[in-house]
Amino acid sequence: MSDASEGARSTAGSARPEHSQGGAYPVRGEEYVRDTRYIDTRVTADGRDGFPVEPGRYRLIAARACPWANRAVIVRRLLGLEDVISLGLAGPTHDSRSWTFDLDPGGRDPVLGFERLREAYFRRDPNYSRGITVPALVDTTTGAVATNDFARITVDLSTQWREYHRAGAPDLLPAEHRDEIAEVSRYVFTEVNNGVYRCGFAGSQSAHDEAYQRLWTALDRLEDRLRNRRYLVGDSITEADVRLFTTLARFDAVYHGHFKCNRHKLTEMPVLWAYARDLFQTPGFGDTVDFEQIKQHYYIVHSDINPTGIVPDGPDLSGWTGPHGRESLGGSPFGSGTPPGPVREDERVDPAHTPLS
């Protein structure tokens, strides 16, 4: 739901760079409300919207900084879709116009040939005026965005692309838990994923206070829910865990200080901290997280919140690889499935940006 981060949508061409990263700041005194107007066409097995599932046709454009995009990268890896859907990564910072491909040689995406992601949006609609957001699935046959509906993208990777899942891929949306996963995921989104943004982008003290209380009520509830169960729903990882993890992974690095969500650090919440470490050490999760790019994005792009652009050196990341003890709760990360294989060489996180060896 964000263009660069998990925040609100941006307005293409906005003069304020924060708009193209996480959504418009509210008018002073107002609470933050996310713009959720996405391109709602879908890539489906039957091609009902004109975008049929087809190996090699679509390119997932993401950014390691963005929690919404991080979800799609995790699910793609867990399901083994790397050879079916290619991955393009925008850099962690951008201006008001769009995410850019400044990490690639020559500053252009090697498949699409674009310097800026907005080119793919304008291929879809020359008059496009909403958020230039990641994740986006781009149709490489036309260079146009097929969809940027981040919540549907991960669900469709699990359901519409099933024919191309790797052998041993986990079922992230098991039928027997589908309703509970949907309920928990909605709660995680409204109260936590979006909750940290309501705190960070609040337009007044009262709006921040209300958002802060709402966020910590939810985190306390999740701490209690996970005290005696290893995962949010059932005995293995589901879509709900993916959705919570990407916010927890960013909590101490950016949300605690930068977004003023500072009642406790994640490391001071024993259950959620152990849960986050358990997932981080599970193949497909921590190996997609680039802490340096996360910090660069939030502290540099959110110039209204951090006008100096100073990026802190911390926090200490070594604890992410320490023992978590969650195995004692039972369950198995992949259910009857197996872990994904090693990360592709061209998709590895810079070793200097992660505590994983």
Side-chain angles (χ1 to χ4, degrees):
M1 306 177 72
S2 104
D3 114 29
S5 81
E6 116 185 271
R9 304 300 299 280
S10 73
T11 299
S14 166
R16 301 178 69 194
E18 65 271 17
H19 285 194
S20 54
Q21 93 61 38
Y25 288 109
V27 174
R28 182 168 296 280
E30 294 182 354
E31 67 175 280
Y32 166 79
V33 178
R34 181 180 302 281
D35 181 350
T36 56
R37 297 171 299 158
Y38 297 101
I39 297 173
D40 60 4
T41 48
R42 295 167 55 195
V43 178
T44 57
D46 62 6
R48 71 193 75 162
D49 292 338
F51 298 103
V53 164
E54 183 181 323
R57 176 169 173 173
Y58 303 96
R59 186 161 176 81
L60 173 63
I61 302 300
R64 295 208 185 273
C66 171
W68 316 106
N70 195 177
R71 293 181 186 180
V73 174
I74 290 171
V75 170
R76 170 181 173 270
R77 174 151 160 65
L78 293 177
L79 300 180
L81 293 170
E82 293 97 328
D83 292 332
V84 179
I85 302 171
S86 65
L87 177 65
L89 291 170
T93 61
H94 53 77
D95 59 19
S96 62
R97 289 174 289 175
S98 171
W99 293 93
T100 58
F101 295 104
D102 50 290
L103 301 178
D104 293 307
R108 291 183 178 274
D109 180 87
V111 172
L112 302 173
F114 297 154
E115 291 183 337
R116 295 179 175 274
L117 179 55
R118 71 175 188 168
E119 296 177 59
Y121 280 82
F122 293 153
R123 287 279 182 95
R124 175 66 184 262
D125 177 3
N127 298 312
Y128 186 82
S129 61
R130 289 177 280 162
I132 309 297
T133 68
V134 291
L137 276 177
V138 177
D139 184 349
T140 62
T141 66
T142 62
V145 172
T147 183
N148 69 337
D149 189 340
F150 78 97
R152 278 263 33 132
I153 287 174
T154 52
V155 171
D156 286 345
L157 291 180
S158 282
T159 58
Q160 302 298 315
W161 291 81
R162 191 176 296 275
E163 179 182 353
Y164 301 101
H165 291 181
R166 66 178 175 85
D171 187 352
L172 301 177
L173 292 167
E176 66 271 25
H177 295 303
R178 191 73 63 89
D179 290 344
E180 186 177 6
I181 291 169
E183 179 184 358
V184 172
S185 293
R186 279 193 296 271
Y187 184 77
V188 167
F189 168 69
T190 59
E191 306 307 304
V192 179
N193 300 149
N194 197 42
V196 293
Y197 281 85
R198 279 196 302 269
C199 289
F201 291 138
S204 69
Q205 185 67 54
S206 61
H208 172 77
D209 290 347
E210 181 179 348
Y212 183 93
Q213 292 300 324
R214 187 172 167 182
L215 169 67
W216 284 104
T217 296
L219 289 173
D220 286 342
R221 285 187 62 183
L222 291 167
E223 179 97 344
D224 287 340
R225 180 182 181 91
L226 289 163
R227 197 174 305 280
N228 297 309
R229 61 166 75 194
R230 190 170 179 185
Y231 303 109
L232 283 171
V233 181
D235 295 324
S236 60
I237 291 164
T238 67
E239 171 87 11
D241 296 296
V242 175
R243 294 185 178 206
L244 179 56
F245 171 77
T246 58
T247 295
L248 296 182
R250 288 157 176 76
F251 200 88
D252 286 4
V254 289
Y255 300 146
H256 177 271
H258 183 60
F259 274 2
K260 307 177 184 68
C261 303
N262 65 352
R263 193 192 78 180
H264 290 102
K265 296 177 182 176
L266 176 64
T267 56
E268 296 167 342
M269 301 191 73
V271 175
L272 282 173
W273 174 224
Y275 166 81
R277 279 179 289 155
D278 187 5
L279 291 177
F280 185 83
Q281 295 169 33
T282 299
F285 283 84
D287 54 31
T288 70
V289 176
D290 187 313
F291 287 102
E292 189 61 30
Q293 288 195 25
I294 289 168
K295 291 191 300 179
Q296 288 173 354
H297 170 73
Y298 284 85
Y299 283 103
I300 294 174
V301 175
H302 294 164
S303 56
D304 278 18
I305 297 177
N306 186 40
T308 66
I310 294 172
V311 179
D313 290 338
D316 180 5
L317 302 176
S318 60
W320 280 102
T321 57
H324 52 74
R326 299 283 291 179
E327 306 93 335
S328 64
L329 296 175
S332 174
F334 304 103
S336 60
T338 59
V343 181
R344 291 169 54 127
E345 191 61 38
D346 60 345
E347 295 183 7
R348 290 185 182 278
V349 172
D350 186 331
H353 299 175
T354 174
L356 293 174
S357 54

